[in-house]
Amino acid sequence: KAGVTQTPRYLIKTRGQQVTLSCSPISGHRSVSWYQQTPGQGLQFLFEYFSETQRNKGNFPGRFSGRQFSNSRSEMNVSTLELGDSALYLCASSLDPSGNIQYFGAGTRLSVL
Amino acid sequence: GQNIDQPTEMTATEGAIVQINCTYQTSGFNGLFWYQQHAGEAPTFLSYNVLDGLEEKGRFSSFLSRSKGYSYLLLKELQMKDSASYLCAVRVMEYGNKLVFGAGTILRVKS
């Protein structure tokens, strides 16, 4: 069974640009959550999607957005990139939001120059 | 507010036992998770506690006391490959997958 797949693995962007990250959950998993990991702040929750609806949102500015498609794949978008957005962005999937274990992908490492 | 505390670093010897503590103060509690993360890799699930007590899974055990806001991860028969960051996370929603993570404990296993 394939795990959570995130693409691309690495990205380099400049300030002001926008970026879209992709996440394909484990087959059969319908809940997808996104996290930002930085050395200073650790892992921080961005948002969660289930059945194409955003169910929970963390404390990030509106520049961070996402969506989920009918096949449960999810994308995350960051607009007007800032230097502080440089981080590892992790996607996690679970069967549903009822407390099941979340399984993480390898992440997308974003560098903003 | 949400606050999860873990020691920053620990060092232990191969073959020994190590206990990594985690204390939490969160607005809501619906389970505590432990993840292992090797440098440059994804966090991998280790254990889940929602009721008080000890959960054992091979060389790894996790304990929870909800009244004390306290958990620990116990690793037995340490191996070099256990050198990694160990993340404590609390699920704070009654319904939903919002996890609040601690900063992680870097465990170094020496021979």
Side-chain angles (χ1 to χ4, degrees):
Chain A
K1 198 173 188 180
V4 179
T5 304
Q6 291 188 247
T7 57
R9 290 295 312 277
Y10 303 93
L11 264 179
I12 299 176
K13 294 285 187 179
T14 56
R15 278 184 300 174
Q17 287 186 309
Q18 75 165 23
V19 67
T20 298
L21 314 180
S22 179
C23 172
S24 293
I26 293 171
S27 178
H29 284 195
R30 297 165 60 200
S31 171
V32 173
S33 299
W34 288 88
Y35 295 83
Q36 181 196 66
Q37 186 174 32
T38 58
Q41 299 293 321
L43 265 153
Q44 292 190 291
F45 174 80
L46 279 156
F47 27 64
E48 177 191 17
Y49 287 88
F50 177 70
S51 294
E52 302 177 64
T53 302
Q54 186 181 89
R55 300 190 68 87
N56 293 299
K57 192 175 189 307
N59 297 324
F60 279 82
R63 299 185 297 107
F64 292 81
S65 63
R67 58 178 176 169
Q68 187 181 34
F69 302 95
S70 58
N71 62 357
S72 295
R73 191 177 70 85
S74 177
E75 286 183 348
M76 191 192 102
N77 186 76
V78 188
S79 62
T80 320
L81 283 166
E82 301 177 359
L83 295 179
D85 297 334
S86 295
L88 179 66
Y89 290 89
L90 291 162
C91 165
S93 78
S94 65
L95 281 170
D96 57 47
S98 64
N100 294 108
I101 298 161
Q102 291 185 60
Y103 296 92
F104 284 83
T108 295
R109 184 162 297 282
L110 171 66
S111 297
V112 182
L113 306 178
Chain B
Q2 323 280 21
N3 194 44
I4 299 179
D5 286 319
Q6 317 177 222
T8 305
E9 293 184 21
M10 298 181 72
T11 302
T13 305
E14 196 175 14
I17 299 172
V18 71
Q19 178 175 310
I20 302 174
N21 295 324
C22 171
T23 58
Y24 63 90
Q25 289 178 300
T26 57
S27 54
F29 175 87
N30 202 16
L32 188 142
F33 296 79
W34 284 95
Y35 284 86
Q36 179 193 60
Q37 187 177 26
H38 286 99
E41 297 182 12
T44 55
F45 169 77
L46 289 177
S47 69
Y48 170 58
N49 296 70
V50 65
L51 299 176
D52 290 352
L54 189 68
E55 293 281 342
E56 296 185 83
K57 197 193 256 189
R59 294 190 300 115
F60 296 79
S61 302
S62 58
F63 171 82
L64 174 67
S65 169
R66 288 172 296 170
S67 62
K68 295 181 180 177
Y70 168 70
S71 173
Y72 67 73
L73 179 70
L74 194 71
L75 293 79
K76 304 175 188 174
E77 301 168 17
L78 279 174
Q79 302 174 9
M80 299 300 288
K81 67 178 182 179
D82 297 329
S83 294
S85 180
Y86 290 85
L87 305 168
C88 172
V90 172
R91 193 164 79 98
V92 297
M93 306 292 290
E94 183 175 338
Y95 187 77
N97 276 320
K98 178 177 178 178
L99 294 183
V100 177
F101 281 84
T105 298
I106 297 173
L107 174 65
R108 294 189 174 87
V109 180
K110 58 181 184 179
S111 57

